[in-house]
Amino acid sequence: MLITASIVRWMHVRRRAWFPLASGTLGQAWWMLVVFAIALGMIGLPWYGRLLMWCGTIGLVIGAAQVHGGRWGPWWALAVAHALFVAGAFVQAGTDEAGTSAAGLTAADFFYTLATAMFAWALLGFIRDQKAGVIPWRGALDGAVILLCAGLVGWWVFVQPTLDGAPAFPSPQRFRMLFPVADLVLLALAAWLASAPETRSPSLTLLVLGLVFWTAGDALYHAMSFGVETPVEPLLLMWLFSYVSWGAAALHPSRHRLLAIRDAARVHGTAGRLSLVALVLLATPVSLLAPARPDALTATLAAVLITGVAALLLGWRLRGLRGSVERERDALALVADLDPLTGLPNQRRIEEVIAQALDAGASVGVLVIDVDRFGAVNEAYGHHAGDAVLCELATRWRGLLPARYAIAHLGADAFCVVMPSVFDEAHMLALARRLQDGLREPLWIAGEALRVSASMGFSLAPQDGHDPWSLVQQATVAMQGARQHPGKVLRFTPALRRDDPRTLLLLNDLRDAIPQGQLWLQYQPKVRLRDMRVIGVEALLRWQHPVKGLVPPGDFIPLIERTDLMGEVTRHVLDLALRQCAAWQREGMGLTVAVNLSMCSLLDVALPADVGTRLARAKVSPRRLALEITESAAMLDPRTSLDTLRALSASGVHLSIDDYGTGHSSLAYLQEMPVEELKLDKSFIGKLVRHDASAAIVGSTIRLARRLGMYVVAEGVEDAGTAAALRRMNCFAAQGYWFSPPVDAGALPDVIAEIERRPALQLS
C-alpha cells in the first residue's frame, strides 16, 4: 500500500508539472494537428510522416513567436534548425524516390550539416543567453564527461568501422560518420544546459528526449551504410518522435525556464544527475567489447586515458559540489542561529549561550523584555512599522550592553538578555534600568515620534534554575507580572506562577468568543445630579464562557489588551452598543451610550472613518455616541492621539477622559484635546466623605474643569452621602452602584424609572 501511495503521489506531482501541455489557443490547436497526423498514420496513409515533420517546425515557430516575438533568440534558432532538418529529409526522400545513387555529397547532407550547427548554436544560446546571467561552468564538466565517454564508444562502434571500410576522405561515408558524433556534442550541450536547477522543466525534458531519439536514429542509419540490417519503420518513428518532441518543448508553458536567470551560488547537482554521469563513465571500459576496436593495447590505452580524464573532470565537479554544499551548510547554520529581522541571535542560539555560561560555573542572569502594547503599534501603523520598532530597539539595546552580554530576539515583541556573570539582584536591576533609559528618546516611525515602554522580568542561576529553558520561562513569568508592577521590572518568585497555565487556556478560548457570540454588553446608567435624570449609559463588556460561566472582566480584559484582539473586540463592542442605541431611539429613549477605546484604537488613523461608517449603518446620530479614553492611552503618542481625537470631535462624537487622576497628564495639557467630559476615578470618589485631601482634590478638579468648559462625571458612587457631597461640589453627573450596577439592556427601562423616582439631592 505504501508503494502504491508513493507511486500515486509521484504521478500526481508529475501531472501538475506537465499539464497543460501547451499555452494559448495556437498551442492547443497544434496538439490537435499532431493527434490528427498520428491518426492518419494509424490508418495507413503514407504522408502522415511529412505532416508530423512540419508539425515540429510549426510548433517551434509558434513557441518562438510567443517567447521572443520579433526578436532573435534561441527558440528561433531551434525553429530554423528544425526547418533545415525537415528540408534535408524532404531532399533525401526525393533522392530515394528517384532511385539516384548518392555517389557524392548531396543537398540533404548540406541541410543536415547546417541544421546541426544551428541546433548547437541554439543550445549555446540557452546556456549563454544574456538573460541567463552567469554561465554554469560546472555543467560544462558534466557535458565534457558525457562527450568523452560516449564519444569513445561511438567512435569504436560507428566511426572506426567506417574508416576501415570507406574510401579515402573526402567520401560521403566518412563525412556522414560525423553526424552521430555531432549528435553527441548536442547531447553534451544539453547536459550542460540542464546543469542549472532553474532550467529543469518538462520543456527541457522534451528537448533532451528528442535529441536522444535523434542520436539513436542517426546511429542506426549510419550503421546501415556498412551493412547492419535495421528495420526502417522504427528508424523513421525515432526521427518523427524527435520532430514532435522539439515542437512540444517550444509550446509547453515551462519553456521560459530555459531562459531563466541562473544563480551561480546554488548547488548544481542531484543524485540522479551525478548517477547518470557516473554510468556514462563506466561505459568507457565496456567499450572494450566493441567488435571493431583497434588492437588490444591501443584500445586499452585509449580507454584508460579517456576514463582517467573523465574521472578527473568528475572529481573536479564533485569537489566544486562539495564546496557549494559546505558554503550553503555554513549559511544555513548562520541563519538557524540569527533572527532574520533584527540580526540578533534567536531563541535557539541564546539557550546555547545560557548553557555555556552555566557550564562555566558562573552565576547567570536572564532578563526577558516585552514591548508594552506592541499589538497596538502593528494595528495603528502597520506591520512594517512594527518591524522598524523592533529593529530600532535591537540597535539601541545592543549599544547599551557590554560586549560580554548577549541579547536575542525571542520572536514577536520579546527580547532576552543574558549576563554570563552577575553579582546579585541589584546588578540585574541596574541593567534593566539602563535598558529602560534607552526608551526615553522617542522612536521615529513613518515620520512620527512614537514613545514605547517595556516590561522586564529576570531570573538568576543557580538560585532559580539550572537549565536554560527553565531560566527563560521563569524570566518570562516575571515579565508578565512586571506589566502591573510600578517599576516595570520584577524578579521571578514562585508566587508569580499562580495561574499562568490557566491564563493561557483562557486566552485560547477568548479567540473563539467573538465568532461564537460569547461577548455581550451590560449598561450602567450615568445620572445628572441636579435633577436625578439618567442622561446616558456606559457599555461594559461581559464574557459568558460555555464552561466556566461568567468570566470576571478583570480576568479577560487585560488579556485582550496584551494581544492583537483589542481592535477586533473594540469594533465588536461598537457594533453591539450602536445597535442597542438605535433600538432605544426607536422606543423614544434618548440615551447616549459610552464605549471605552483602547490605546491601539486611539493610534488607528482610520478610526474616525470607521466610527462614521458604523454610525451610518446603525442610523445613530454621532451625538448619541461617547468614546472614553484613558490618560495613559492619550499620553503614549500625544500627536497621533490628538489628530484622531480632533477628527472624531469634528464628526460630532462626544469625547471623554476616563479614570482621570490615575495617569501622568495635567488638566492644562488635556485642555488641548477636544474632550467635553472628565470622569474622576473611583479611587478619589470612594474616600470623598472620609478624607479631606480627597475632597479638596475632587473639588478643585471640578472647579478647574468648569472654567475650561468641561463637565465632570464621578465614577464609583457607592452611597447617598458621596452623591450628596458631589452635588454640593457642583459635579455634573455620576455613576456607581448606589444608582445601579451594570444591567442587561432589557432591564434598563425599569432601572431608569426607579432612579428618576428618587428625590433630588439637596445642596445644603
Side-chain angles (χ1 to χ4, degrees), residues 382-395:
H383 287 278
H384 65 285
D387 292 345
V389 167
L390 295 177
C391 292
E392 175 63 22
L393 291 176
T395 302

Side-chain angles (χ1 to χ4, degrees), residues 96-147:
D96 294 341
E97 290 175 4
T100 57
S101 60
L105 297 176
T106 64
D109 296 320
F110 174 74
F111 283 122
Y112 288 144
T113 303
L114 284 181
T116 303
M118 185 59 69
F119 210 115
W121 179 258
L123 292 175
L124 286 171
F126 284 123
I127 294 170
R128 64 181 181 180
D129 186 75
Q130 292 182 357
K131 292 174 63 178
V134 180
I135 294 176
W137 289 107
R138 294 172 187 164
L141 298 179
D142 295 347
V145 171
I146 292 173
L147 182 60

